Amino acid sequence: MMINEMNQEECRAFLASASLGRLGCSLDNQPYVVPIYFVYELDYIYVLSTFGQKTDWMRANPQVCLEVDEITTQSQWVSVIANGRYQELPEPQFTAEREHARALLGKRYRWWQNALAERELRLGNDSITSLFFRLHIDSTTGLRAIGEPAERDEKRG
Ligand SMILES: Cc1cc2nc3c(=O)[nH]c(=O)nc-3n(C[C@H](O)[C@H](O)[C@H](O)COP(=O)(O)OP(=O)(O)OC[C@H]3O[C@@H](n4cnc5c(N)ncnc54)[C@H](O)[C@@H]3O)c2cc1C
């Protein structure tokens, strides 16, 4: 198996093709990771979110990361980490950005479902408030593992 580093362009192309990632934030030396759906565009990652621990923590410490991967087999996978800064998109200052986030996320079928369904399940009602936020990407790193042909054949066999 060979593991190659991905350049910035490859990392960003991968982010553009993906929709599910693990958002990592931290507070007082305690990390916190949750799965989220997102859309990547240029220097930003857009998310529809509910309020809760992750938003409280990112408000307090906006330095965050997002890990995204595609694991085909044990020896064939891609993993990208984007490091960046949290920014909420409240009305009315960010109306245009919110609409843009909604338009990007809205291209995906039932894009709001996971964010809102989790909260509905916990709170048992449908009066859930949500927000849009984005992460401004400061840096990315990526690794791609490519299995040797024999290894791949072995996996298939
Ligand atoms: C496939 C998938 C996609 C999702 N997409 C989105 C999305 O786009 N936007 C969005 O806002 N949410 C999404 N969620 C839900 C998300 O992962 C969080 O569960 C949710 O946002 C609540 O996070 P919170 O910090 O606000 O929770 P809080 O209710 O404040 O958390 C309280 C406690 O509950 C526990 N907890 C919370 N979430 C999880 C979890 N996922 N797994 C285990 N324990 C948990 C933690 O221990 C935490 O301390 C998605 C979940 C899945 C599985």
Side-chain angles (χ1 to χ4, degrees):
M1 181 175 79
M2 270 173 48
I3 299 180
N4 296 318
E5 283 186 11
M6 295 161 69
N7 63 31
Q8 292 290 308
E9 211 173 292
E10 291 170 323
C11 287
R12 287 172 186 251
F14 181 69
L15 289 176
S17 72
S19 58
L20 178 67
R22 275 92 191 164
L23 173 72
C25 56
S26 65
L27 195 65
D28 299 333
N29 292 323
Q30 175 64 55
Y32 181 53
V33 179
V34 283
I36 49 151
Y37 278 113
F38 70 92
V39 169
Y40 162 80
E41 190 192 59
L42 297 174
D43 283 337
Y44 292 104
I45 284 163
Y46 294 91
V47 177
L48 171 73
S49 174
T50 50
F51 290 93
Q53 182 175 327
K54 64 185 180 310
T55 48
D56 290 345
W57 284 30
M58 291 189 292
R59 281 174 172 173
N61 177 11
Q63 295 300 134
V64 299
C65 67
L66 183 78
E67 190 275 346
V68 185
D69 55 59
E70 187 179 280
I71 300 165
T72 309
T73 68
Q74 205 176 327
S75 58
Q76 200 167 347
W77 46 259
V78 178
S79 170
V80 167
I81 297 175
N83 296 301
R85 281 162 288 140
Y86 173 70
Q87 181 185 35
E88 276 180 35
L89 301 176
E91 303 262 33
Q93 308 98 293
F94 290 100
T95 303
E97 288 82 355
R98 283 172 64 91
E99 285 313 309
H100 189 60
R102 190 191 301 276
L104 289 173
L105 288 158
K107 289 180 188 161
R108 304 223 164 107
Y109 177 66
R110 294 172 82 83
W111 56 282
W112 38 264
Q113 183 167 273
N114 277 286
L116 304 190
E118 184 271 350
R119 195 44 42 108
E120 210 172 302
L121 184 77
R122 282 183 189 225
L123 301 181
N125 66 44
D126 55 8
S127 58
I128 302 146
T129 50
S130 59
L131 74 153
F132 288 98
F133 68 77
R134 66 183 178 184
L135 311 180
H136 180 271
I137 301 176
D138 293 319
S139 65
T140 56
T141 58
L143 296 175
R144 186 190 300 277
I146 305 164
E148 300 298 328
E151 267 178 77
R152 291 205 292 265
D153 292 346
E154 221 171 87
K155 299 260 158 9
R156 281 193 203 108

